[in-house]
C-alpha cells in the first residue's frame, strides 16, 4: 500500500480556498503559475512515493551506525542513493534564493513538499530539512563571504547543514550554554564544547557538513544576551582540512532511527562568526521559526500516512456485520469501515488532517504575502499572522498529528501494534515532533507569554481581523453561528489573559497549553467554514469533483458538531487559573 | 530511580474511601485483615521493585527469541529467575481458590498487585497474568478431573496457561474461527488449526503450558454459537508426551518485547472439552472479563511508573527561572517543576492516576462484594456494577494511562525520547493495552450495545443508585454541585440512548466511545468527591498524613475545575448522533 499524495486537497486549498493561484501576480513568484504548481504537486507525490518511501521501514530497522574508530556515521542502506536523487531532483532548492542556485518558489510549496517528505520518510527528510534552516539563517545573517562559500552547495544538496544548540545542561534554557569561542589572529574563532541531540551532525550522505553553532565569546554577558552564532564546517572549504568537530556517539531513540542524532565534540574547532557578536539568539530564531513550521508538517505528514494505511485496512478487513444489516452479504463478514465506531476514528483522522493542512497552508500563504506583497500594510499584517500561527502550527499539528497516527494504529487493532505494518513506526517517529524545536509547552508559552503581548497585542488582532473580515464578506457562510461562537470564546480567553496574566505571569503559564489548543481549534473552525463555502461554490457551479466537494461539507459538519465543542472546556480551564496547579508543595507530589 | 509503590494511596482508598477493611467480616475473607493487607502491600511493592523491575528494560532490549529448530522460545535473561521468585513468593496464587492451593484473598488485592506488576515489568507479568484467567475459567467451567489435573500446578506457577482465541481471519469476530475439533474414541478430541497473537504460547519459564483453545466441533452451528472450549496441554500430564501444538514464530511488536506473542499451530493436537459443547463463548467471557480488568490495571501501572519518573526528573532538571522569581537562587536555574505548564502535566498525571486507581478499586471492591456478601440483593447490585464497570475500567484506564505515560515522556523533553530513560518503553508497552482483550471501541460497544440494555437497563441504574445514595447520605459532600451536574449529564446521555439507539443500533455505535468516556469521567468525579470527603474527615480528625490529605483536596479541585468540563463536549458529541459519521460513500474517503 503506497503513499498517495493528497493532490486534490492541495489544489482545492491553494486555488479554491486560499487563492494562492494569485501568488504568481507577485513579483518574485511570477513563475509559480498553477501549471507549474500542479506539476510540482504531481511530481512531488510520485517522487516521494517511489524514491523516499521504499527506504523508510528498512531504515527504521537498520538505523544509523556509529563507527568509533573514525567517528563516522553510516546511514541506513539506500539512504545515500535516495538522497542523491532527492537533491538532483531539485527538492532541496525549491524556495531557496535564486542568486545561489535556488528556484525561488513560494514557501507554501515548500510546506506541501515537507508534508509529502515527512509522510514517506521522516528520518531521511531530516537531513535536508535541517539544512534548509541553516540556508535561511546564513542567507539572512551571514556575511557575503560566508554566503558565497556555503550557500550554493547547501542549496544544491551537495553539503548539508545542522543547528548545534543543545548541551547536556541546557535545552530550553540556552542561557546556560558553556561552549566557548576564542578569537584567533586571522579573524576566525576556536570553538570548544559539547553539543547533544544534533540532527545530521555526522553522516555519509555528503562530503561536508556546515554546522551552525551557538557559543559564548570571552567577553559575553551572562544569559541569552551573550550567545553568538558560528559557522563550523566539518571540512574547511578553503583548505580541505578536517576541522576538529567530531561525532562522539549516537542517541538511542524511540523513533526516527534513520536520522543520526549525534553528540558533537568540538576541541578548538575553527569557526566563523555569523553577523554581530552576541546576536546568536536572534539569528537562531530564523532557523527556529522555519523549523517550527516544518515540524508541524512532520506531524501532519505522519498523520496523513497513517490515515491512508488505516483507511485501506478498514476497507479490506472483514469482521462482524453492519449494525444496519449485511453490506457484504456474499463475504464471511463486512469490511470494518461499516461500523460507526471505526468510521468515528477515520473521520477524526480525515477531518483533523484536512483542517490542520488548511491551517498550515494558510500560514504558509501568509508567509509568502509577508515577503512578497507590494503593500507594506499587507506585508505587516501577514507577518503578524505568521508570527502568531508559528507556535500554533508547530504544537497543534504535532500533538494532533501524533494522536491521529495513534488513531490509525487503533483502526488496525492488533495488526497495528506489529511491525508488519508501518503505523507503529509512524507513531514512534512522530513522538519527537512534540518535543524538538521547542517542546509544545514552550510553543504555548511563546504564544501566550510573547506573541500575545508584542506590539500591544497587535498580532492576535491581525488574526481576528482576518477572520471577522471573512465573516463580514460572507454573510451566508457555512456554520456561521458556530464559528462566531468559537471566535467569541477565543476573544474571551484573550481578554481574560489581558486582565490577569500581565500582572501575574504564572497565570499565562497556567493558561498556555489550553489557550494554544483553543487558538488552533478556532482557526481550524474558520478553515472548515472556508472549505465548506468553497465546496458549496464548486457544487453550485458544477465544477470539479462533486464527490470530493460533498465530502468536504460532511467533514465540516463533523468538525463543528463533534470536535469544536471542546472549546468550552478549554475556556473553562483557562479562566479557572493557576491556583490548583501551583498549590502543591514539593513534598506533596508523591506520598 | 526505582519504583515506589503508592502504598499510602492504596491504604487511603481501601480504608478511608471504600471501607474495604470490612471485607474481613465476610466469610471467605476473614484472613484479609488490615494487618495482612498492609503486609501484602509493603512486601508487594518491595518485591516488584527489587525482583521484577531490574529485568524490565533489559528484557525490552533483548526481547524473546524463537528457535526454529525445536520451535522453542527463549525469554530474556533474568526472566526465568524472576518468575521463579514470583511464583515461590505466592504472587500467582493470591486470590486463587484455596482448595487448589490458592490463598483465597479478596480480588481487590489482586487488582493492586496487578498495578504493581505492570508498573515494574509488564512483559514478564503477562505470563502469570494470562494464567490467572485460565485458572478462573477452568475453575468455573471445567470438570472435576480437568481441575484436579491442572489447577494446582497453574496456581502454584509451576505451569502457565494461555487463551487461544484469535486466528488470522478473526479477532473481534470469533464467529469466523476455523480451528476444528474432531472427537476421538477415548473421549478426548483432535484439534487442528492456527492461532495467532497467543501471549505466552511458548516460553522457557515452566515445563508445561495449558492452552485454552476455541475450536469448532464437526456438528457446530455457524457463528459464535458453534464454538467450544478445549484444554490443549503442551505436554500431556498423564503420559508426559509432547502434544502436537507448536509455536510457529513470534510477532515483531512495538512493545512488550519480553512477552512472547506466538503463532500456534495445532496438527491433531489432543484436547479435552471444557464443560458443554458449543458453550465456548460464554466460558471465554470468564477469561475475558477478568482479563479486561487486569488490562485496565496495566494502563494504570505504566502511567504510575511514568509519573514517578517524570516527577523525579522535574524536581532535578534545572532549566529557566520561575515566572514568580528564582526559587533556587544559588543554582544556575530553577527545577522545571516550578513552571506552571510542567505542573499542569504532572497534575494531570497525578490526578487522573489517582482517580483511575480509585475507580478500579471501587470495581474490585464490588467484585468481592458480588462474590462474598451474605445478602443476595447486595451481591446482585455489586455484580451489576462490576458488569457495567468492566469495559469502562479496561478502556478508560488504558486510553488515559497511555496518554499519561506520554505526558510523562513530554515532561522529560528530548530525554524522554531516548532509551536512557524507561518512559519511551512504557509508552510502547502500553500501546497494546488499548487493543487486546477487545479494542477499546469494542469495550464501548459492550457498554452501550449490551450492558445498558441488559435487564431493562438495571445495571446502570445500580451504578446511579450507588452514586445518588452517596449524595443523599453526604449532604455536605465536596464538589456536590459539580458532581450532580456530571450525573445529570450522564443520565441525559443514557436517556438519549434509550430514546434513539434501541430502534437504530448504529446510533449506539456512533455514541459508544464518547459515552464510555463520559461514564468514566463521571465515576472518577464521584471518586474525587469521596476522596476529598475522606481527606477532609482525616484532616478534621487530625489523623494520618496531613500533607497527603491536603494534596487530595487540591487534586480534587484540579479534577473538577480543569478536567471534568470535558463532559459537556462528550454529551454534545453523543446527542449529535450518527449522521456525519455515516454520510460518506466508500469512494469519498480519499480523493
Amino acid at each position: 500500500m503506497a503513499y498517495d499524495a493528497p493532490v486534490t486537497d492541495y489544489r482545492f486549498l491553494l486555488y479554491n480556498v486560499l487563492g494562492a493561484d494569485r501568488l504568481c501576480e507577485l513579483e518574485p513568484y511570477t513563475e509559480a503559475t498553477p501549471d507549474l504548481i500542479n506539476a510540482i504537486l504531481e511530481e512531488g507525490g510520485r517522487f516521494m512515493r517511489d524514491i523516499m518511501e521504499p527506504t523508510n521501514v528498512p531504515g527504521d530497522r537498520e538505523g544509523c551506525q556509529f563507527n568509533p574508530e573514525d567517528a563516522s556515521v553510516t546511514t541506513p542502506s539506500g539512504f545515500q542513493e535516495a538522497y542523491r536523487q532527492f537533491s538532483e531532483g531539485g527538492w532541496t532548492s525549491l524556495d531557496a534564493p535564486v542568486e545561489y542556485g535556488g528556484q525561488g518558489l513560494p514557501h507554501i510549496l515548500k510546506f506541501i513538499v515537507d508534508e509529502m517528505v515527512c509522510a514517506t520518510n521522516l528520518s531521511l527528510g531530516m537531513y535536508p530539512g535541517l539544512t534548509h534552516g541553516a540556508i535561511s539563517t546564513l542567507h539572512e545573517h551571514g556575511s557575503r563571504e560566508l554566503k558565497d562559500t556555503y550557500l550554493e552547495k547547501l542549496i544544491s544538496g551537495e553539503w548539508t547543514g545542522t543547528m548545534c544548540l543543545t548541551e547536556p545542561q541546557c535545552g530550553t534554557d540556552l542561557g546556560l550554554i558553556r561552549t566557548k569561542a576564542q578569537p584567533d589572529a586571522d579573524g576566525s574563532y576556536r570553538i570548544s564544547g559539547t553539543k547533544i541531540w544534533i540532527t545530521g551532525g555526522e553522516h555519509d550522505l555528503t562530503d561536508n557538513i556546515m554546522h551552525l553553532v551557538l557559543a559564548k565569546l570571552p567577553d559575553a554577558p551572562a544569559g541569552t544576551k551573550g550567545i553568538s552564532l558560528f559557522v563550523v564546517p566539518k571540512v574547511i572549504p578553503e583548505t580541505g582540512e578536517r576541522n576538529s568537530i567530531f561525532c562522539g556517539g549516537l542517541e538511542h531513540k524511540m523513533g526516527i532511527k534513520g536520522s543520526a542524532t549525534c553528540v558533537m565534540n568540538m576541541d578548538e574547532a575553527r569557526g566563523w562568526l555569523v553577523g554581530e557578536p552576541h546576536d546568536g539568539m536572534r539569528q537562531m530564531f530564523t532557523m527556529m521559526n522555519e523549523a517550527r513550521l516544518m515540524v508541524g508538517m512532520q506531524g501532519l505528514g505522519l498523520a496523513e500516512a497513517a490515515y491512508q494505511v488505516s483507511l485501506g485496512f478498514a476497507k479490506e478487513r472483514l469482521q462482524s456485520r453492519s449494525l444496519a444489516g449485511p453490506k457484504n452479504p456474499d463475504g464471511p463478514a463486512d469490511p470494518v469501515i461499516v461500523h460507526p465506531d471505526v468510521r468515528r476514528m477515520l473521520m477524526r483522522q480525515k477531518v483533523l488532517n484536512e483542517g490542520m493542512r488548511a491551517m498550515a497552508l494558510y500560514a504558509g500563504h501568509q508567509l509568502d504575502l509577508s515577503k512578497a506583497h507590494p503593500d507594506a500594510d499587507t506585508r505587516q499584517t501577514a507577518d503578524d499572522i505568521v508570527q502568531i500561527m508559528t507556535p500554533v502550527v508547530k504544537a497543534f499539528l504535532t500533538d494532533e498529528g501524533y494522536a491521529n497516527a495513534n488513531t490509525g494504529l487503533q483502526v488496525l487493532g492488533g495488526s497495528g501494534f506489529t511491525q508488519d505494518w508501518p503505523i507503529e513506526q509512524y507513531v514512534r517517529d512522530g513522538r519527537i515532533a512534540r518535543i524538538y524545536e521547542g517542546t509544545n509547552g514552550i510553543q504555548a508559552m511563546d504564544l501566550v507569554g510573547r506573541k500575545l503581548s508584542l506590539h500591544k497585542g497587535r498580532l492576535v488582532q491581525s488574526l481576528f481581523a482576518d477572520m471577522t473580515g471573512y465573516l463580514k464578506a460572507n454573510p451566508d457562510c457555512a456554520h456561521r453561528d458556530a464559528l462566531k461562537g468559537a471566535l467569541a470564546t477565543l476573544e474571551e480567553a484573550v481578554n481574560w489573559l489581558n486582565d490577569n496574566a500581565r500582572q501575574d505571569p504564572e497565570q499565562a503559564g497556567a493558561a498556555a497549553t489550553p489557550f494554544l489548543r483553543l487558538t488552533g481549534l478556532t482557526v481550524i473552525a474558520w478553515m472548515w467554514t472556508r472549505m465548506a463555502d468553497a465546496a458549496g461554490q464548486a457544487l453550485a457551479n458544477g465544477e470539479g469533483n462533486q464527490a470530493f466537494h460533498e465530502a468536504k461539507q460532511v467533514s465540516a459538519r463533523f468538525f463543528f458538531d463533534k470536535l469544536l465543542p471542546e472549546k468550552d472546556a478549554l475556556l473553562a480551564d483557562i479562566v479557572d487559573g493557576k491556583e490548583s496547579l501551583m498549590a502543591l508543595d514539593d513534598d506533596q507530589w508523591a506520598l
Side-chain angles (χ1 to χ4, degrees), chain A:
Chain A
M1 197 184 295
Y3 172 70
D4 190 13
V7 172
T8 312
D9 203 33
Y10 292 137
R11 282 208 289 251
F12 174 72
L13 290 171
L14 289 173
Y15 309 142
N16 300 44
V17 178
L18 296 169
D21 38 351
R22 297 186 54 197
L23 280 173
C24 61
E25 296 169 10
L26 305 179
E27 177 48 46
Y29 300 141
T30 48
E31 294 196 11
T33 60
D35 279 353
L36 181 78
I37 290 175
N38 290 341
I40 289 173
L41 298 182
E42 295 288 348
E43 175 59 15
R46 193 204 60 73
F47 181 90
M48 303 312 155
R49 180 194 66 210
D50 293 348
I51 307 300
M52 296 293 273
E53 191 171 44
T55 59
N56 188 38
V57 170
D60 175 72
R61 304 300 184 268
E62 190 180 342
C64 289
Q65 305 301 326
F66 176 62
N67 314 301
E69 60 282 4
D70 62 354
S72 70
V73 168
T74 310
T75 58
S77 312
F79 270 33
Q80 284 188 336
E81 175 59 19
Y83 177 76
R84 188 186 62 75
Q85 292 192 45
F86 187 86
S87 39
E88 285 180 11
W91 301 109
T92 59
S93 64
L94 220 54
D95 63 342
V98 174
E99 56 179 316
Y100 292 103
Q103 301 172 63
L105 289 166
H107 299 288
I108 196 169
L109 287 178
K110 173 67 166 42
F111 279 53
I112 289 175
V113 171
D114 276 345
E115 188 198 328
M116 296 182 188
V117 170
C118 300
T120 50
N121 197 327
L122 175 57
S123 286
L124 180 49
M126 297 282 289
Y127 299 92
L130 271 286
T131 305
H132 192 274
I135 291 167
S136 302
T137 307
L138 200 60
H139 188 252
E140 192 167 329
H141 305 288
S143 66
R144 186 85 225 170
E145 202 181 332
L146 284 176
K147 291 201 267 197
D148 287 347
T149 307
Y150 291 98
L151 278 182
E152 209 173 296
K153 303 219 170 192
L154 291 170
I155 288 170
S156 71
E158 189 178 336
W159 296 347
T160 63
T162 74
M163 308 170 42
C164 299
L165 281 49
T166 305
E167 300 181 8
Q169 78 288 354
C170 63
T172 299
D173 188 0
L174 290 169
L176 302 176
I177 71 169
R178 292 180 191 147
T179 297
K180 296 247 175 301
Q182 203 70 32
D184 221 342
D186 66 352
S188 70
Y189 295 81
R190 293 287 173 176
I191 320 277
S192 299
T194 294
K195 297 285 180 178
I196 62 171
W197 299 339
I198 306 309
T199 298
E202 181 58 63
H203 59 74
D204 56 5
L205 302 180
T206 59
D207 295 332
N208 202 2
I209 302 170
M210 182 199 74
H211 304 280
L212 288 175
V213 179
L214 289 184
K216 291 195 163 187
L217 290 165
D219 61 342
T224 53
K225 290 187 178 123
I227 298 176
S228 304
L229 187 68
F230 299 86
V231 165
V232 180
K234 174 179 172 184
V235 176
I236 295 165
E238 294 80 1
T239 63
E241 185 190 347
R242 180 68 167 86
N243 203 0
S244 181
I245 177 168
F246 288 99
C247 178
L250 296 175
E251 298 294 336
H252 296 94
K253 310 186 298 294
M254 183 185 204
I256 54 166
K257 292 179 188 242
S259 169
T261 307
C262 303
V263 175
M264 298 303 294
N265 296 314
M266 290 164 284
D267 180 14
E268 303 209 329
R270 289 191 71 190
W272 284 263
L273 184 66
V274 177
E276 297 301 310
H278 316 319
D279 200 24
M281 279 300 279
R282 194 178 66 88
Q283 296 161 346
M284 191 205 69
F285 268 102
T286 300
M287 283 197 286
M288 285 288 287
N289 284 332
E290 182 176 291
R292 288 196 282 172
L293 292 164
M294 183 187 73
V295 170
M297 301 315 285
Q298 295 179 359
L300 175 60
L302 292 168
E304 172 64 29
Y307 171 67
Q308 293 187 11
V309 172
S310 55
L311 175 63
F313 184 94
K315 286 180 170 182
E316 295 291 324
R317 173 74 170 171
L318 305 180
Q319 206 76 176
S320 304
R321 291 294 181 190
S322 161
L323 294 164
K327 304 283 188 209
N328 174 34
D330 299 335
D334 289 339
V336 298
I337 198 171
V338 304
H339 305 306
D341 191 66
V342 173
R343 298 173 79 91
R344 167 183 288 281
M345 292 190 274
L346 292 168
M347 280 300 286
R348 190 183 170 95
Q349 292 178 269
K350 176 180 172 65
V351 170
L352 277 168
N353 287 356
E354 293 176 12
M356 294 193 293
R357 182 176 296 126
M359 177 165 74
L361 295 192
Y362 167 66
H365 189 233
Q366 295 296 322
L367 180 61
D368 285 322
L369 296 179
S370 77
K371 304 215 172 201
H373 201 278
D375 176 56
D377 285 350
T378 305
R379 286 202 305 276
Q380 179 67 73
T381 301
D383 185 63
D384 287 351
I385 293 172
V386 172
Q387 286 196 57
I388 204 116
M389 290 308 299
T390 295
V392 178
V393 167
K394 193 281 181 180
F396 198 100
L397 269 64
T398 56
D399 278 349
E400 210 51 59
Y402 178 73
N404 272 0
N406 255 315
T407 300
L409 193 157
Q410 191 73 16
V411 171
L412 271 67
S415 299
F417 192 67
T418 70
Q419 300 200 327
D420 300 340
W421 293 82
I423 290 198
E424 68 86 30
Q425 182 187 343
Y426 300 150
V427 171
R428 286 186 290 107
D429 286 355
R431 186 62 187 87
I432 189 59
R434 300 168 66 190
I435 296 171
Y436 57 20
E437 309 310 338
T439 64
N440 287 358
I442 291 293
Q443 304 300 326
M445 282 303 294
D446 173 52
L447 177 64
V448 167
R450 202 163 159 274
K451 299 295 171 62
L452 276 195
S453 51
L454 267 183
H455 308 296
K456 299 185 183 158
R458 192 191 70 209
L459 274 49
V460 73
Q461 294 309 328
S462 293
L463 176 65
F464 280 140
D466 207 10
M467 294 199 263
T468 51
Y470 185 88
L471 284 166
K472 210 169 280 177
N474 298 276
D476 301 318
C477 68
H479 305 282
R480 184 177 183 87
D481 290 344
L483 176 58
K484 284 174 76 172
L487 259 170
T489 305
L490 182 60
E491 277 178 324
E492 196 178 333
V494 170
N495 292 339
W496 188 90
L497 281 164
N498 286 337
D499 293 344
N500 292 274
R502 297 237 166 124
Q503 58 272 47
D504 182 355
E506 284 190 335
Q507 290 288 18
T513 289
F515 181 81
L516 184 144
R517 189 165 174 84
L518 179 60
T519 307
L521 271 184
T522 305
V523 174
I524 290 176
W526 179 37
M527 292 298 132
W528 271 116
T529 283
R530 292 177 68 171
M531 289 191 275
D533 287 346
Q537 188 81 49
L539 287 169
N541 297 346
E543 281 167 8
N545 184 328
Q546 185 178 338
F548 173 87
H549 293 121
E550 285 174 357
K552 281 285 176 197
Q553 297 191 312
V554 170
S555 297
R557 280 212 303 281
F558 180 90
F559 180 83
F560 279 100
D561 295 346
K562 295 202 179 289
L563 301 182
L564 187 59
E566 183 191 347
K567 73 183 173 56
D568 296 320
L570 294 168
L571 181 65
D573 185 348
I574 292 165
V575 304
D576 175 56
K578 71 173 194 178
E579 192 207 341
S580 65
L581 289 179
M582 305 311 291
L584 290 191
D585 291 336
D586 276 4
D587 62 352
Q588 285 185 302
W589 287 93
L591 287 166

